[in-house]
Amino acid sequence: QVQLVESGGGSVQGGGSLRLSCQASGNGFSINDMAWHRQAPGKERELVASITRDGSTNYLDFAKGRFTISRDNARKTVYLQMNSLKPDDTAVYYCYAKGEKIVNVEGARVVKDYWGKGTLVTVYS
């Protein structure tokens, strides 16, 4: 199996910062795009930021200028640095990875979506 494990969530005062980490583990897979999503209480899950394997990034409007996504391919880890946090940023943050998994001994591969279980970020005023 492939697992994504997030860490770094917690409670922070408005204007503060947090750095989230997510590491993929398992055998027989490679990671391509990675992203962070979030789901606020009573809201639908939404994309926060994404990053390709070569480092190209994309941010949703609410994250531009405040959040930075980065990755370490050797460690199969993606990070989200969050600055100038606001109460509206309160949510469970989920790590996402699009990978290719080797599914048989002949080396055939299939595209797979992987999700972490989430880490809670609470921003108080």
Side-chain angles (χ1 to χ4, degrees):
Q1 291 185 342
V2 175
Q3 297 90 32
L4 303 181
V5 179
E6 303 100 333
S7 62
S11 297
V12 64
Q13 189 174 16
S17 299
L18 286 173
R19 186 179 188 236
L20 307 182
S21 299
C22 169
Q23 185 169 29
S25 63
N27 296 319
F29 75 99
S30 62
I31 298 296
N32 294 321
D33 295 346
M34 302 188 80
W36 288 95
H37 293 69
R38 70 183 188 183
Q39 187 167 15
K43 305 294 184 180
E44 296 182 351
R45 188 174 300 189
E46 62 181 349
L47 176 68
V48 177
S50 63
I51 184 168
T52 65
R53 186 173 179 84
D54 66 357
S56 297
T57 59
N58 183 65
Y59 299 90
L60 273 291
D61 286 343
F62 64 81
K64 291 179 180 177
R66 297 191 299 128
F67 296 179
T68 302
I69 188 170
S70 60
R71 65 189 292 167
D72 183 335
N73 290 338
R75 296 177 58 86
K76 296 182 178 178
T77 301
V78 63
Y79 306 93
L80 185 68
Q81 177 68 45
M82 302 186 293
N83 299 325
S84 301
L85 284 164
K86 303 180 292 185
D88 285 348
D89 295 319
T90 296
V92 177
Y93 284 71
Y94 296 92
C95 179
Y96 164 84
K98 178 177 290 185
E100 296 183 357
K101 181 174 177 60
I102 299 174
V103 297
N104 58 36
V105 297
E106 289 78 25
R109 299 182 179 185
V110 62
V111 175
K112 298 280 288 186
D113 293 334
Y114 302 105
W115 289 93
K117 293 184 177 181
T119 184
L120 177 63
V121 171
T122 301
V123 184
Y124 57 89
S125 60

